[in-house]
Amino acid sequence: MQPRLAAAKALGRIRDGGSLDRELPPLLAEVPPEQQATAQALVYGALRQFELLEAVMGELLRKPLKRKDRIIDNLLFIALFELLDQVSPDYAVVDSAVRLARRQRSWSGALVNGCLRRFLREKEALLERARRQPSAAALLPGWLLDAIRRDWPDDWQAIAAASARPAPMTLRVDLSRGSRDDCLARLRQQGLPADAHACVKSAIVLTTPAPVSALPGFAEGLTSVQDAAAQMAATLLAPRPGERVLDACAAPGGKTTHLWEAGERRLRLTALEISERRIAALRETLDRCACDCRLIQADAARPDAWWDGKHYDRILLDAPCSATGVIRRHPDIKRHRRPEDIERTAATQAALLKALWPLLKPGGRLLYATCSVLAAENEARIESFLAETPDASAPPLALDAGVARSVGWQIRPGDLDMDGFYFALLQKQ
Ligand SMILES: C[S@@+](CC[C@H](N)C(=O)[O-])C[C@H]1O[C@@H](n2cnc3c(N)ncnc32)[C@H](O)[C@@H]1O
């Protein structure tokens, strides 16, 4: 399949509610291997610029296309993104879009040609008018922009800008089995230039993304792919060899395996995951990293069904959340989240905290983490929990990047080029 057509089809499926992770791979498989990266870049790019492209489309089309003709709409989105992106020459973008559109709907060639040529003629004026809509200027859906502005009155523009930029590929080195310097040297030998992350000791940032099959030590778990902010979780929880540790929301296992490495591969570790589909990926990660861990498919909020009654020294609650801190990696999040989701995830987070707290030993620690930037899922959640839990306290955190919140710590998307993450470390009396 032609990469632009594959990209338009993928965009259509995502607009219909599908996720990038599930919808893109089967379409990419139909694209010649040497063109798959192009198709992928087009879908990600169009999703990152979606709100702006949507506003421009509103100006270009006198009335929206019928639902049955959405493929034409999506081909236009992809072509407009390309004209903005300026990687391919304008004439090639227009020609290809017209040809592809005509093959899908014979009447559509003139429409696509007219829209794209008008865009090229009036580009600056069209973009300027589109950007008068705050959502199109910030590249975020209106409700989410409002929520981020409310929670981050001084930082919302930087957060929005970072959320629209592609994220680097970051590796984690298993420091229990090798050094970061050795890994950097091996990467360079293999023609993969990379740098040590400025504040996370296990993290390496690749100059250019590479397939995992090219990464030295990936198959044996000596290296893993994980954003540097996500790597802060194991360091903050700091499990010690021999301790009983619970990872309550574990799939796909990035943090489970990091805890294992941080505990010098000598923890009594349990990983829980509710989703049958995601547990397959978790199992694969555990096997790859040779992580000796008890794996249970269960609802962490209902310990009666799975807990053996022995208390944990450390618990990681990497809670399900809006994922608004990782939009740069998963730009489809902008299309899928709804305002009411935030209330729902906040209720789930509260239930998980309440259910897991009794499982912690006196003197034990629970790390609450989300990849959200919204206070309702972060500091507000922990403030409520502390107010109703007399034996819980939150010792202040101070990390080398990010900012303190009323309680806990936030890495904002883009801080030292990291994903957005929130952490609160809770101590039991
Ligand atoms: C943020 S992701 C975890 C990412 C993981 N810690 C990592 O670093 O790879 C949250 C996970 O929690 C799972 N989950 C959601 N609700 C759960 C529950 N009640 N009990 C157990 N797992 C749950 C989700 O299916 C999802 O896999």
Side-chain angles (χ1 to χ4, degrees):
M1 195 186 313
Q2 221 273 358
R4 289 176 172 121
L5 181 60
K9 286 190 172 181
L11 182 62
R13 292 187 191 176
I14 289 152
R15 291 174 80 187
D16 287 342
S19 77
L20 252 177
D21 287 352
R22 266 194 254 182
E23 303 296 345
L24 189 56
L27 283 163
L28 283 187
E30 294 183 45
V31 174
E34 68 283 4
Q35 294 182 313
Q36 290 178 358
T38 305
Q40 177 160 330
L42 292 178
V43 188
Y44 273 78
L47 284 168
R48 288 196 173 105
Q49 301 287 330
F50 189 87
E51 294 73 16
L52 179 63
L53 299 175
E54 194 175 38
V56 170
M57 286 280 281
E59 296 256 347
L60 291 176
L61 290 176
R62 244 176 292 135
K63 55 179 184 167
L65 291 169
K66 293 196 179 103
R67 197 170 165 74
K68 68 181 173 58
D69 298 322
R70 277 287 278 276
I71 184 65
I72 305 302
D73 205 61
N74 291 318
L75 281 166
L76 271 169
F77 261 88
I78 296 294
L80 283 174
F81 165 68
E82 284 196 85
L83 295 178
L84 268 184
D85 197 35
Q86 303 214 303
V87 169
S88 304
D90 293 347
Y91 70 88
V93 173
V94 177
D95 274 10
S96 164
V98 170
R99 256 185 297 114
L100 286 170
R102 212 174 263 142
R103 252 181 261 152
Q104 299 297 317
R105 303 283 185 276
S106 54
W107 51 262
S108 68
L111 174 87
V112 168
N113 191 43
C115 284
L116 296 179
R117 291 198 185 280
R118 182 171 160 218
F119 178 72
L120 287 171
R121 275 194 317 273
E122 301 173 27
K123 191 169 168 180
E124 294 317 317
L126 283 166
L127 288 173
E128 200 266 323
R129 273 206 300 282
R131 287 192 178 113
R132 282 186 213 153
Q133 299 179 26
S135 157
L139 300 174
L140 289 170
W143 72 269
L144 181 55
L145 174 60
D146 292 346
I148 295 177
R149 282 182 80 148
R150 193 181 52 236
D151 289 349
W152 295 96
D154 299 328
D155 303 308
W156 64 271
Q157 281 159 311
I159 290 174
S163 301
R165 280 195 297 272
M169 184 168 178
T170 305
L171 309 184
R172 182 184 86 229
V173 180
D174 177 357
L175 296 178
S176 75
R177 292 191 283 170
S179 79
R180 179 164 72 172
D181 284 347
D182 285 348
C183 185
L184 276 165
R186 286 178 69 195
L187 283 164
R188 288 190 193 120
Q189 269 164 19
Q190 290 194 214
L192 296 171
D195 292 299
H197 190 270
C199 81
V200 177
K201 287 192 171 62
S202 49
I204 285 178
V205 184
L206 291 182
T207 307
T208 317
V212 290
S213 55
L215 301 174
F218 181 82
E220 308 83 55
L222 297 170
T223 49
S224 297
V225 178
Q226 191 177 43
D227 187 78
Q231 296 183 40
M232 290 174 159
T235 313
L236 284 169
L237 196 58
R240 286 171 300 210
E243 283 185 335
R244 258 176 77 78
V245 178
L246 172 69
D247 183 354
C249 293
K255 298 188 191 69
T256 320
T257 47
H258 195 198
L259 287 169
W260 176 244
E261 294 161 13
E264 298 173 26
R265 308 174 73 80
R266 284 184 284 137
L267 299 179
R268 289 174 290 154
L269 183 58
T270 300
L272 279 189
E273 170 58 46
I274 200 167
S275 151
E276 188 173 353
R277 186 176 63 81
R278 289 173 64 86
I279 219 158
L282 171 57
R283 195 166 278 127
E284 225 173 79
T285 313
L286 297 176
D287 288 350
R288 184 177 60 80
C289 296
C291 174
D292 181 8
C293 150
R294 189 164 162 240
L295 178 56
I296 307 175
Q297 187 187 345
D299 181 349
R302 304 190 54 199
D304 289 358
W306 53 266
W307 186 41
D308 60 9
K310 295 182 192 148
H311 289 85
Y312 296 99
D313 300 287
R314 301 271 191 268
I315 296 178
L316 172 62
L317 173 52
D318 188 18
C321 71
S322 62
T324 42
V326 292
I327 287 172
R328 62 188 200 144
R329 290 192 192 278
H330 306 282
D332 54 330
I333 286 169
K334 297 192 290 178
R335 308 266 36 87
H336 300 327
R337 293 291 174 273
R338 299 283 173 269
E340 56 275 19
D341 293 341
I342 308 305
E343 259 172 57
R344 196 175 38 78
T345 50
T348 303
Q349 292 152 359
L352 284 165
L353 275 165
K354 192 171 177 187
L356 292 170
W357 190 249
L359 279 53
L360 194 61
K361 265 185 195 163
R365 289 182 159 199
L366 182 151
L367 181 71
Y368 176 81
T370 73
C371 55
S372 167
V373 293
L374 301 178
E377 299 180 283
N378 296 344
E379 57 269 29
R381 211 49 301 108
I382 298 302
E383 280 170 11
S384 305
F385 176 74
L386 290 173
E388 64 197 27
T389 316
D391 60 349
S393 62
L397 291 178
L399 308 184
D400 292 338
V403 282
R405 303 304 274 162
S406 57
V407 56
W409 192 270
Q410 180 85 47
I411 307 292
R412 294 156 298 193
D415 281 341
L416 292 182
D417 211 3
M418 290 187 277
D419 286 348
F421 256 91
Y422 171 82
F423 299 109
L425 192 58
L426 302 171
Q427 169 97 40
K428 193 165 188 170
Q429 257 171 30

mmCIF file of all heavy atoms in Angstrom, residues 291-307:
data_model
loop_
_atom_site.group_PDB
_atom_site.id
_atom_site.type_symbol
_atom_site.label_atom_id
_atom_site.label_comp_id
_atom_site.label_asym_id
_atom_site.label_seq_id
_atom_site.Cartn_x
_atom_site.Cartn_y
_atom_site.Cartn_z
ATOM 1 N N CYS A 291 13.634 -11.721 34.884
ATOM 2 C CA CYS A 291 13.150 -11.157 36.151
ATOM 3 C C CYS A 291 12.333 -12.222 36.877
ATOM 4 O O CYS A 291 11.300 -12.673 36.376
ATOM 5 C CB CYS A 291 12.297 -9.927 35.828
ATOM 6 S SG CYS A 291 11.480 -9.216 37.242
ATOM 7 N N ASP A 292 12.822 -12.614 38.050
ATOM 8 C CA ASP A 292 12.167 -13.672 38.812
ATOM 9 C C ASP A 292 11.068 -13.035 39.660
ATOM 10 O O ASP A 292 11.361 -12.399 40.680
ATOM 11 C CB ASP A 292 13.217 -14.367 39.696
ATOM 12 C CG ASP A 292 12.599 -15.497 40.498
ATOM 13 O OD1 ASP A 292 11.420 -15.821 40.253
ATOM 14 O OD2 ASP A 292 13.290 -16.033 41.383
ATOM 15 N N CYS A 293 9.851 -13.246 39.240
ATOM 16 C CA CYS A 293 8.776 -12.474 39.860
ATOM 17 C C CYS A 293 7.488 -13.271 39.801
ATOM 18 O O CYS A 293 7.238 -13.995 38.848
ATOM 19 C CB CYS A 293 8.703 -11.163 39.068
ATOM 20 S SG CYS A 293 7.159 -10.384 38.940
ATOM 21 N N ARG A 294 6.673 -13.143 40.855
ATOM 22 C CA ARG A 294 5.373 -13.809 40.859
ATOM 23 C C ARG A 294 4.411 -12.913 40.077
ATOM 24 O O ARG A 294 4.255 -11.732 40.394
ATOM 25 C CB ARG A 294 4.934 -13.953 42.314
ATOM 26 C CG ARG A 294 3.739 -14.797 42.496
ATOM 27 C CD ARG A 294 3.603 -15.210 43.975
ATOM 28 N NE ARG A 294 2.243 -15.642 44.182
ATOM 29 C CZ ARG A 294 1.393 -15.091 45.030
ATOM 30 N NH1 ARG A 294 1.782 -14.086 45.811
ATOM 31 N NH2 ARG A 294 0.162 -15.538 45.132
ATOM 32 N N LEU A 295 3.799 -13.521 39.059
ATOM 33 C CA LEU A 295 2.938 -12.729 38.176
ATOM 34 C C LEU A 295 1.487 -13.133 38.414
ATOM 35 O O LEU A 295 1.142 -14.313 38.356
ATOM 36 C CB LEU A 295 3.353 -13.026 36.724
ATOM 37 C CG LEU A 295 2.588 -12.368 35.606
ATOM 38 C CD1 LEU A 295 2.605 -10.863 35.767
ATOM 39 C CD2 LEU A 295 3.241 -12.746 34.271
ATOM 40 N N ILE A 296 0.631 -12.146 38.704
ATOM 41 C CA ILE A 296 -0.771 -12.462 38.987
ATOM 42 C C ILE A 296 -1.668 -11.569 38.138
ATOM 43 O O ILE A 296 -1.484 -10.351 38.121
ATOM 44 C CB ILE A 296 -1.116 -12.210 40.478
ATOM 45 C CG1 ILE A 296 -0.130 -12.940 41.404
ATOM 46 C CG2 ILE A 296 -2.538 -12.648 40.783
ATOM 47 C CD1 ILE A 296 -0.350 -12.643 42.881
ATOM 48 N N GLN A 297 -2.616 -12.204 37.462
ATOM 49 C CA GLN A 297 -3.617 -11.394 36.765
ATOM 50 C C GLN A 297 -4.781 -11.161 37.722
ATOM 51 O O GLN A 297 -5.498 -12.099 38.088
ATOM 52 C CB GLN A 297 -4.109 -12.106 35.516
ATOM 53 C CG GLN A 297 -5.024 -11.185 34.714
ATOM 54 C CD GLN A 297 -5.684 -11.867 33.536
ATOM 55 O OE1 GLN A 297 -5.284 -12.938 33.122
ATOM 56 N NE2 GLN A 297 -6.706 -11.219 33.010
ATOM 57 N N ALA A 298 -4.918 -9.924 38.176
ATOM 58 C CA ALA A 298 -5.952 -9.639 39.182
ATOM 59 C C ALA A 298 -6.197 -8.142 39.266
ATOM 60 O O ALA A 298 -5.417 -7.333 38.752
ATOM 61 C CB ALA A 298 -5.487 -10.154 40.550
ATOM 62 N N ASP A 299 -7.279 -7.809 39.975
ATOM 63 C CA ASP A 299 -7.616 -6.414 40.216
ATOM 64 C C ASP A 299 -6.916 -5.975 41.512
ATOM 65 O O ASP A 299 -7.239 -6.480 42.597
ATOM 66 C CB ASP A 299 -9.143 -6.314 40.364
ATOM 67 C CG ASP A 299 -9.606 -4.879 40.596
ATOM 68 O OD1 ASP A 299 -8.744 -4.006 40.840
ATOM 69 O OD2 ASP A 299 -10.828 -4.647 40.550
ATOM 70 N N ALA A 300 -5.979 -5.057 41.381
ATOM 71 C CA ALA A 300 -5.221 -4.621 42.558
ATOM 72 C C ALA A 300 -6.127 -3.995 43.611
ATOM 73 O O ALA A 300 -5.785 -3.966 44.796
ATOM 74 C CB ALA A 300 -4.153 -3.617 42.127
ATOM 75 N N ALA A 301 -7.277 -3.498 43.204
ATOM 76 C CA ALA A 301 -8.194 -2.851 44.162
ATOM 77 C C ALA A 301 -8.990 -3.875 44.970
ATOM 78 O O ALA A 301 -9.771 -3.482 45.843
ATOM 79 C CB ALA A 301 -9.150 -1.913 43.416
ATOM 80 N N ARG A 302 -8.802 -5.172 44.677
ATOM 81 C CA ARG A 302 -9.536 -6.209 45.421
ATOM 82 C C ARG A 302 -8.566 -7.258 45.966
ATOM 83 O O ARG A 302 -8.548 -8.412 45.513
ATOM 84 C CB ARG A 302 -10.583 -6.846 44.507
ATOM 85 C CG ARG A 302 -11.532 -5.787 43.906
ATOM 86 C CD ARG A 302 -12.695 -6.403 43.210
ATOM 87 N NE ARG A 302 -13.400 -7.326 44.082
ATOM 88 C CZ ARG A 302 -14.220 -8.268 43.623
ATOM 89 N NH1 ARG A 302 -14.416 -8.404 42.343
ATOM 90 N NH2 ARG A 302 -14.829 -9.086 44.469
ATOM 91 N N PRO A 303 -7.728 -6.860 46.941
ATOM 92 C CA PRO A 303 -6.683 -7.769 47.440
ATOM 93 C C PRO A 303 -7.227 -9.078 48.000
ATOM 94 O O PRO A 303 -6.515 -10.089 47.983
ATOM 95 C CB PRO A 303 -5.993 -6.961 48.540
ATOM 96 C CG PRO A 303 -6.385 -5.548 48.317
ATOM 97 C CD PRO A 303 -7.695 -5.554 47.610
ATOM 98 N N ASP A 304 -8.497 -9.076 48.468
ATOM 99 C CA ASP A 304 -9.065 -10.324 49.009
ATOM 100 C C ASP A 304 -8.899 -11.474 48.030
ATOM 101 O O ASP A 304 -8.761 -12.630 48.439
ATOM 102 C CB ASP A 304 -10.577 -10.154 49.262
ATOM 103 C CG ASP A 304 -10.825 -9.246 50.436
ATOM 104 O OD1 ASP A 304 -9.821 -8.808 51.039
ATOM 105 O OD2 ASP A 304 -12.005 -8.959 50.724
ATOM 106 N N ALA A 305 -8.924 -11.154 46.741
ATOM 107 C CA ALA A 305 -8.900 -12.210 45.722
ATOM 108 C C ALA A 305 -7.489 -12.732 45.439
ATOM 109 O O ALA A 305 -7.344 -13.776 44.807
ATOM 110 C CB ALA A 305 -9.528 -11.667 44.435
ATOM 111 N N TRP A 306 -6.433 -12.009 45.879
ATOM 112 C CA TRP A 306 -5.097 -12.457 45.454
ATOM 113 C C TRP A 306 -4.010 -12.321 46.528
ATOM 114 O O TRP A 306 -2.959 -12.951 46.445
ATOM 115 C CB TRP A 306 -4.644 -11.697 44.192
ATOM 116 C CG TRP A 306 -4.716 -10.192 44.355
ATOM 117 C CD1 TRP A 306 -5.765 -9.402 43.995
ATOM 118 C CD2 TRP A 306 -3.734 -9.326 44.943
ATOM 119 N NE1 TRP A 306 -5.508 -8.090 44.321
ATOM 120 C CE2 TRP A 306 -4.253 -8.016 44.897
ATOM 121 C CE3 TRP A 306 -2.463 -9.519 45.486
ATOM 122 C CZ2 TRP A 306 -3.560 -6.923 45.389
ATOM 123 C CZ3 TRP A 306 -1.771 -8.419 45.970
ATOM 124 C CH2 TRP A 306 -2.322 -7.144 45.919
ATOM 125 N N TRP A 307 -4.255 -11.527 47.582
ATOM 126 C CA TRP A 307 -3.174 -11.251 48.545
ATOM 127 C C TRP A 307 -2.984 -12.440 49.492
ATOM 128 O O TRP A 307 -3.956 -12.993 50.003
ATOM 129 C CB TRP A 307 -3.509 -9.981 49.342
ATOM 130 C CG TRP A 307 -2.411 -9.531 50.243
ATOM 131 C CD1 TRP A 307 -1.080 -9.518 49.965
ATOM 132 C CD2 TRP A 307 -2.556 -9.027 51.581
ATOM 133 N NE1 TRP A 307 -0.365 -9.019 51.033
ATOM 134 C CE2 TRP A 307 -1.257 -8.709 52.052
ATOM 135 C CE3 TRP A 307 -3.641 -8.788 52.421
ATOM 136 C CZ2 TRP A 307 -1.011 -8.193 53.307
ATOM 137 C CZ3 TRP A 307 -3.405 -8.266 53.677
ATOM 138 C CH2 TRP A 307 -2.094 -7.969 54.119
#
